[in-house]
Amino acid sequence: MRIGEIIAAKRPVFSVEFFPPKTDKGRVQLFDTARQLAGLELDFVSVTYGAGGSNRDGMVDITTALKDDVGLEVMAHLSCVGETAEGLDSTLDRLRNAGIDNILALRGDPPQGQEGFIRTEGGFGSAAELTAHITGKYDFSVGGACFPEVHPEAADLDSDLNYLKTKVDAGAEFLITQLFFDNRAYFDFVDAARAKGIEVPILAGIIPVTGYEHTKRICERCDATIPADLESAMLAAGGDPEAEFNLGVAYAAQQSAELLAAGVPGIQFFALNKAPATRAVLGALRAAQPWRAAHGQSITQ
């Protein structure tokens, strides 16, 4: 089913991002995670795409198996990096033939060691170009990425939003944010996007912190800010893995509940192919149903 239609018919929606594993053990873990989380009524899952197509075959294989073997609705990430239009069409054809309905169109990050994005000859230079190509030639439901704290390469929020609107004008039906920890950043970003005429649903990207140092490295790569209060609490845990995990789950649950109570259309969890933290957060949200507050209903009804 098309994700644009799912979001239009149901609020809120919940999804999880996976990445193609590099080992057989990792594949077993991914599918174990997917089956555990499927029991919490996921609306869809997404599968990432390696820089330069490094995980392209793995993405297609995992995406298809999650749909056929686990019964999940799926979205495949597609990136411009290192790809020609012909190569991308080959992947799109495989996905369409496998019954996949949804694509997240991305420019993509440069391969490790390469400074800046380099357009491949015969390829695309932006996610907006890729989106326009897909929507002009195929019948996928296409989504795009956005950045509450501004894309690292953008001059400022205004120019970032001007570019984001080109993705939507090219046919992106929904947007999913980069991870963030400060809900005010999301709320302010959505207000600014609406003022620019960007009216599509904007899903919030949330990562439950399961290990502080690992999450800090992820944030450094994508220019996401860890709030001072959360950082202080994590440091106070003294490197205790259990304490960091419990704190991360509690913070993500509280953060998500506030977003849902305010009427966010959905949340995508970055689970890193592991079930426990996302299962705990999503299970708590399913039990408490904070989104009822957005409709003036008591969450204890």
Side-chain angles (χ1 to χ4, degrees), residues 30 45 49 58 108 167 205 207 218 287-288:
L30 185 153
V45 298
Y49 189 82
K167 293 186 191 180
I207 183 169
I218 293 173

Side-chain angles (χ1 to χ4, degrees), residues 14 252-253 256-257 260 267 269 280-291:
F14 293 102
S256 300
L260 292 163
I267 291 176
F269 293 104
V281 174
L282 184 51
L285 294 172
R286 286 290 189 197
Q289 300 183 51
W291 52 88

